[in-house]
Amino acid sequence: MIDFSFTEEQELFRSAIREWCQKNLPLEKIREMDSKGEIPREILKGMGDMGLLVMTAPQEHGGTGADWVTACIAAEELGYADVSIALPVLWLVESSWGFVVDRYCSERVREECIRKAFKGDAFIGIASTESGGGSDVAAFKSTARRDGNGWVLNGEKIYISGTEEAKKLGGGYFVIARTSPAPEGASHRGMTGFYVPMNAEGVEINKRFEDMGRMAISTGGFMMQNVKVPDDYRIGEVDKGFYLTMEGFDNARILIAAVCVGAARRALDIGMEYIKERKAFGRPIGKFEGIQFELADDWAQLEALKSLTYRTAWMNDMKYKQGKFSALEVGRYIAACKLIAPHLAFDIYKHAMIWMGAYGYTKECPLEMGLRGIMSYCVGAEGASNIQRTVIGRELLGKEYIPYK
Ligand SMILES: Cc1cc2nc3c(=O)[nH]c(=O)nc-3n(C[C@H](O)[C@H](O)[C@H](O)COP(=O)(O)OP(=O)(O)OC[C@H]3O[C@@H](n4cnc5c(N)ncnc54)[C@H](O)[C@@H]3O)c2cc1C
């Protein structure tokens, strides 16, 4: 027998976070964050007090030890509340990459960064992308060479979320760098993960992008010039960083899907309210099939995505807790979530904006923030759509069908 219900604890958690969001993140606040380009410190502190930050890290390390289904509940509610998706982005980057860092790091990194990130006093993010391209992780040029008991890193990372937050709050990034020459035909090997604090000597923010959306979290780039880090800052085994990077991406992608579910639910709610009120030709426009059928199609597809997302989160929990599924088995479902979610959410925002006519195109309407924010996941943040397709294709057809080999 299959039971699709959430536990009582999960339902209580959803009510608590929903209540917190209603109180702390009204639409006026989201507009203010979007205009000012920052997430207020008290919001982060409040999330820390609620145990929401890096909530996936285990209790024995100071986290909440939330499983991935529970994390998706938080993601969905945050996505619903912050239509600009800036706050959900910051939250999910920390919840997915903070989890990986915490899982494989030394006690020193935990002390210097993760324990602070739980309280909103530090930021932990991912810095993998380089100017040569983000999809081809194995082609990255950043290097780390051994230096006595530590390492020296050189290279440049670009299109990185949260560079200004990391500078302001403290904390740093999971950075992937080449530590050994790649064996023939296996360029993904020979890379290692490191924790690189943003205040380390030799780290310099050299890019600040003005994005089209999710304005309250920064996107930038930084140089690493002879950055010395102790071996304690190494994350996981030497030359195995690629696998940790894939683990982080997988976890992030599930949360992205859940954020998109929440964000799209909000667009439908705002849209439905409008089409019940707005009259044309003597009746509410929600009576016209042209609008009502689009709403029904959107809702049906969103429910399908929601089921896939929570099922995939459950599979991820079974992978970690019971070894019931392998990373590759879960990976294709995760790729499907990341492939579908941003594009569906984007379409739902677009539809709801069009129902609203001219009003939908103004900044008086909150939906334009969602359209701009979700686009970041359509273009490729945490992995481009075609890369999700290659993951699914590889699992369906076999490794010999990997297009880039
Ligand atoms: C707002 C935002 C925030 C970001 N934050 C971070 C961050 O915090 N940390 C970080 O490391 N990165 C971050 N990124 C970068 C993101 O990870 C990359 O954009 C992504 O990996 C794609 O890399 P790229 O942009 O260089 O595109 P490319 O890899 O150059 O790809 C360009 C296009 O080619 C397609 N393509 C590539 N390979 C194939 C293939 N084999 N088959 C078919 N099509 C292919 C892609 O689908 C894409 O459409 C962020 C990006 C954005 C937009």
Side-chain angles (χ1 to χ4, degrees), residues 140-159:
F140 291 164
K141 299 273 186 296
S142 293
T143 59
R145 69 175 158 77
R146 276 192 192 275
D147 178 45
N149 290 332
W151 299 84
V152 178
L153 280 88
N154 279 286
E156 187 179 3
K157 297 289 179 182
I158 196 170
Y159 305 121

Side-chain angles (χ1 to χ4, degrees), residues 129-131 140-144 152-158 175-177 202-204 206 221-227:
T129 306
E130 300 193 353
S131 55
F140 291 164
K141 299 273 186 296
S142 293
T143 59
V152 178
L153 280 88
N154 279 286
E156 187 179 3
K157 297 289 179 182
I158 196 170
V175 165
I176 180 157
V203 174
E204 194 200 335
N206 61 345
F222 61 89
M223 294 284 295
M224 297 178 291
Q225 281 173 316
N226 294 321
V227 178

Side-chain angles (χ1 to χ4, degrees), residues 89 93 97 123 125-137 140 157-162 173-174 211 213-214 218-219 249 253 373 375-387 389-390 403-404:
V89 165
V93 165
W97 295 96
F123 175 79
I126 165 68
S128 74
T129 306
E130 300 193 353
S131 55
S135 303
D136 189 1
V137 175
F140 291 164
K157 297 289 179 182
I158 196 170
Y159 305 121
I160 305 303
S161 301
Y173 287 90
F174 174 87
D211 286 333
R214 51 191 244 187
S218 62
T219 309
F249 276 132
R253 288 168 186 168
M375 189 63 187
S376 68
Y377 287 125
C378 297
V379 301
E382 305 275 6
S385 299
N386 280 351
I387 298 308
R389 292 186 174 98
T390 62
Y404 41 84

Side-chain angles (χ1 to χ4, degrees), residues 35-58:
S35 311
K36 288 192 178 161
E38 68 176 351
I39 298 166
R41 194 72 191 266
E42 68 267 16
I43 296 285
L44 289 181
K45 283 282 188 199
M47 290 174 83
D49 293 343
M50 288 268 295
L52 286 177
L53 297 174
V54 205
M55 62 186 288
T56 46

Side-chain angles (χ1 to χ4, degrees), residues 146-223:
R146 276 192 192 275
D147 178 45
N149 290 332
W151 299 84
V152 178
L153 280 88
N154 279 286
E156 187 179 3
K157 297 289 179 182
I158 196 170
Y159 305 121
I160 305 303
S161 301
T163 41
E164 296 301 318
E165 286 75 5
K167 191 84 190 166
K168 219 171 357 179
L169 294 174
Y173 287 90
F174 174 87
V175 165
I176 180 157
R178 184 156 293 286
T179 36
S180 300
E184 182 71 32
S187 52
H188 62 290
R189 295 210 198 126
M191 307 182 87
T192 305
F194 294 92
Y195 167 62
V196 176
M198 283 308 272
N199 63 5
E201 206 173 313
V203 174
E204 194 200 335
I205 296 179
N206 61 345
K207 289 261 176 9
R208 290 176 180 82
F209 294 101
E210 192 177 348
D211 286 333
M212 66 177 270
R214 51 191 244 187
M215 309 309 278
I217 177 168
S218 62
T219 309
F222 61 89
M223 294 284 295

